[in-house]
Amino acid sequence: MTTPTSREAQGRVVVLAGATSAAGLAATRALRDAGARVVATGRTSERLRALAEAGAETAVADATSLADMTALAGRLETVDAVVPLVGGWRGGGGLAGQTDDDFAALLPALEAVRATSRAFDGRLRASTAGRFTIVSSTAVARPLAGGANYAAVKAASEAWTRAVAQGYAKTAREADEPLRAAAVVFRAKALDPDALAARLVGLWDTDAADLNDRVLDLG
């Protein structure tokens, strides 16, 4: 696949929270190739090794922890984008198969969205072009009984992100300033790490006013 490039990504500071996955590695490589500074978090230094080798600055931190994310935000003078990448899937068995243990295992994805958006809110608002981005699923639009837990968590994550978008718009409106920050949802049926990486590189190719509160298909 051709490496995506964008002049607008050059010099941007991007936090990939919970990035120790194929998607996190692909995003790191693409963003670094585009000239962005990447700060990647994970729970162990061992799992962060591949990201460091790909050019990311790494931090051992829990993406679901408001305290950890707030501490990281305090160490960064500038942040232009935050992407929580905590995910996973558990399901099947119809409604009867939607266990409490499965639901609890999926909740960290929502917790990471909440923690990162809150911790980096000030940094993203202060950026000349702040971006908060989550990865959701087409299951939200057409939930199935066997994936009810998963769809519910993704729907809640989307609702939270759209609330973030409303907050950005409200702040700009009340300050009588142009909208500079945007919150956007990317939906995928089956996540293609390279497709996500390309969209992250292009986050600054669209004006915040046209990007904020959008739900976009990664397919």
Side-chain angles (χ1 to χ4, degrees), residues 9-80:
Q10 179 77 33
R12 299 295 183 185
V13 180
V14 183
V15 175
L16 302 178
T20 57
S21 62
L25 185 56
T28 295
R29 288 171 172 162
L31 286 162
R32 290 292 295 136
D33 286 346
R37 174 188 173 192
V38 176
V39 181
T41 80
R43 292 187 177 184
T44 68
S45 56
E46 177 64 27
R47 296 192 66 188
L48 286 166
R49 184 173 300 168
L51 295 163
E53 291 172 352
E57 299 171 35
T58 60
V60 177
D62 183 353
T64 71
S65 166
L66 179 61
D68 281 9
M69 292 297 101
T70 299
L72 178 59
R75 297 196 296 270
L76 298 172
E77 293 184 5
T78 301
V79 177
D80 298 300

Side-chain angles (χ1 to χ4, degrees), residues 97 100 103 139:
D100 290 346
F103 187 67

Side-chain angles (χ1 to χ4, degrees), residues 44-193:
T44 68
S45 56
E46 177 64 27
R47 296 192 66 188
L48 286 166
R49 184 173 300 168
L51 295 163
E53 291 172 352
E57 299 171 35
T58 60
V60 177
D62 183 353
T64 71
S65 166
L66 179 61
D68 281 9
M69 292 297 101
T70 299
L72 178 59
R75 297 196 296 270
L76 298 172
E77 293 184 5
T78 301
V79 177
D80 298 300
V82 175
V83 188
L85 290 171
V86 177
W89 188 89
R90 289 173 67 165
L95 287 182
Q98 304 301 290
T99 70
D100 290 346
D101 285 345
D102 287 342
F103 187 67
L106 292 167
L107 272 178
L110 172 60
E111 292 168 346
V113 171
R114 295 182 67 250
T116 53
S117 62
R118 295 165 68 196
F120 289 95
D121 185 62
R123 288 287 186 262
L124 292 175
R125 290 175 189 269
S127 168
T128 58
R131 301 290 186 264
F132 182 75
T133 305
I134 73 163
V135 181
S136 186
S137 170
T138 55
V140 173
R142 191 173 183 274
L144 304 177
N149 280 334
Y150 178 75
V153 169
K154 288 299 187 182
S157 297
E158 287 196 13
W160 185 277
T161 302
R162 296 192 68 189
V164 172
Q166 191 275 337
Y168 291 161
K170 183 174 184 290
T171 297
R173 183 171 61 252
E174 291 179 346
D176 195 24
E177 295 178 349
L179 183 62
R180 293 188 295 268
V184 60
V185 173
F186 289 132
R187 282 183 184 170
K189 183 175 182 180
L191 181 59
D192 178 344

